[in-house]
Amino acid sequence: LGSAQETQEAARPARDLAMLTQLLLTAAALSGAVHTPSRVSRAVRSPSALRMATVAPVPAAPAETKEVDMSVCPETVWGTRLDIREAQRQMRERSQEAFPKEIFAAEVVADRAGDVEAELAYIRENKAALREDMVRTGAVLLRGFELTKTPEGFQRMYEALDLVPCLDPLHSVSARPMVDKKSAVYEAVNKESRKNFFIGMHNEFVGKRAPRRAAFVCFKPAEEGGEFLLADGRQLLADLDPELLERLYERNIRYSVMELPFFGWVDSVPEPLREPVMGAIKGVVTAALNAKVDFDVELQWGEGGYDGVRMLQARAPVQPPVVAHPETGEATWFCNVHSHSSFLRKEREKKYGAERFESGASQINKSDMYYGDGEPIAESDLKHMDEVTMKNVKFVKMNQGDVVLLDNYCTMHGRNVFEGTRKHAVTWFQ
């Protein structure tokens, strides 16, 4: 029967495959997921943080909200090819407005601040202007509204704006829980296990689906840190090095969206059988992933990975890093390099502490970005993109009831690390 160690080694392939099977749904959820954060050791405060309304007590549980009928998240609008140099020139000449635009309840409803019905009336009467501001400026902050301190009131707010909610881009794999099963309000990244991760700047899109707009709400702020981060993609486009921008746009980009580091045992398979075994594994995993997500995932064998073992890397389809806005036609940076680049995450480790991959789910939640032809992007270029991104980031300290309305095509978002407990949520819109 052999030693216990030999028995364990013999069982390893089956055990690894069983583990892989359990993780496939999670893997599919992470395929193209934009939240690919770096672990940091403490909350980071920005001296330029936008301070919002005073924290109010957490309200009692609200009345049950009515069920929302949601359609599938719309497909990403990639648009036509651009003259990228001309597009950048136009964005550099574009007149800049205050970003984000801030609206205080105490100013717009005056002595009726705190009156839910008065606040709701303001939203209804100004819905056209608010929706226009979302597109023109990229983001609108509603601050100090009593209305939006509960999920029910938050829902009334976006309905008053005539915003039509859609399912989460990850809905098919149920990756993001809802605040209420009947609502369109999804939890943001609030888990305590994620509090020490810095979520890089990104637009919300998964594979071929991207919501047009979003509303982020704070029901409870973190005791420290946890700022919501915003960046105008049009300004990022204007600030990038022209030669790098042209190179990225002409060659396109491609993300690796996860790694499956469970196949070290393959190297112990007799050499005549190794290639057929690897081909069979790749085929099974590819079929499983593509059956769960609505875009094609290409798997590639790689050396190294976690603990120096053989791994499978999943890559999303090739795409442009810049798109024309579906409504205005303005060119905007639509590229998640800041959240997906492995190099940039490792650079942040130097400042905040090393990433830790302790669970099966976190092991596969590893991404990277390449040129569309699969070639790596130079570290100097990645550093430049990081510098331009962080130069344009606004740190927004949200408090209970504060809402960020944003255009998902021209505005990127992220999240700072935090201490304590944090309860933020989001609704996506067509």
Side-chain angles (χ1 to χ4, degrees), residues 25 47 50 73 75 188 338-339:
L25 292 183
L50 298 174
C73 182
E75 292 192 2
H338 198 251
S339 62

Side-chain angles (χ1 to χ4, degrees), residues 196-399:
N196 287 332
F197 289 86
F198 183 97
I199 299 177
M201 303 308 293
H202 60 277
N203 305 92
E204 198 73 24
F205 65 93
V206 178
K208 66 178 185 180
R209 299 198 178 276
R212 185 66 60 87
R213 303 173 182 85
F216 290 83
V217 61
C218 172
F219 295 130
K220 181 191 178 301
E223 280 73 9
E224 183 178 359
E227 290 90 350
F228 188 65
L229 311 182
L230 293 168
D232 189 331
R234 295 163 297 189
Q235 193 57 46
L236 263 71
L237 174 62
D239 292 344
L240 285 167
D241 175 77
E243 291 185 3
L244 171 60
L245 175 63
E246 186 171 32
R247 188 161 60 249
L248 288 166
Y249 190 72
E250 291 304 317
R251 296 180 65 178
N252 287 316
I253 59 169
R254 192 176 195 186
Y255 303 110
S256 66
V257 294
M258 67 175 176
E259 290 182 2
L260 302 175
F262 314 122
F263 302 104
W265 56 269
V266 169
D267 293 325
S268 64
V269 174
E271 189 169 348
L273 298 176
R274 193 175 304 158
E275 288 299 322
V277 167
M278 291 171 64
I281 293 172
K282 181 177 176 180
V284 169
V285 177
T286 298
L289 289 177
N290 286 331
K292 198 62 180 175
V293 298
D294 58 2
F295 62 96
D296 291 334
V297 175
E298 180 186 352
L299 292 177
Q300 298 183 9
W301 284 105
E303 300 294 337
Y306 298 93
D307 301 322
V309 299
R310 187 183 294 273
M311 57 83 179
L312 271 175
Q313 186 184 71
R315 297 194 180 187
V318 173
Q319 65 187 63
V322 178
V323 298
H325 190 279
E327 296 179 33
T328 67
E330 288 183 314
T332 183
W333 183 248
F334 195 73
C335 175
N336 291 345
V337 60
H338 198 251
S339 62
H340 274 60
S341 168
S342 176
F343 172 78
L344 293 184
R345 293 197 310 275
K346 289 176 181 178
E347 285 293 291
R348 290 195 284 263
E349 288 181 32
K350 297 176 182 178
K351 184 176 181 180
Y352 304 125
E355 290 183 344
R356 296 173 61 190
F357 297 95
E358 299 174 339
S359 67
S362 62
Q363 280 188 328
I364 65 176
N365 186 13
K366 185 179 180 182
S367 64
D368 210 344
M369 195 180 94
Y370 307 86
Y371 284 111
D373 57 14
E375 290 296 314
I377 298 172
E379 292 181 359
S380 59
D381 290 339
L382 291 168
K383 286 182 177 180
H384 172 71
M385 287 186 276
D386 177 57
E387 291 170 359
V388 170
T389 299
M390 293 309 298
K391 167 188 169 184
N392 285 282
V393 168
K394 304 290 185 181
F395 283 68
V396 181
K397 182 64 178 179
M398 298 180 70
N399 287 305

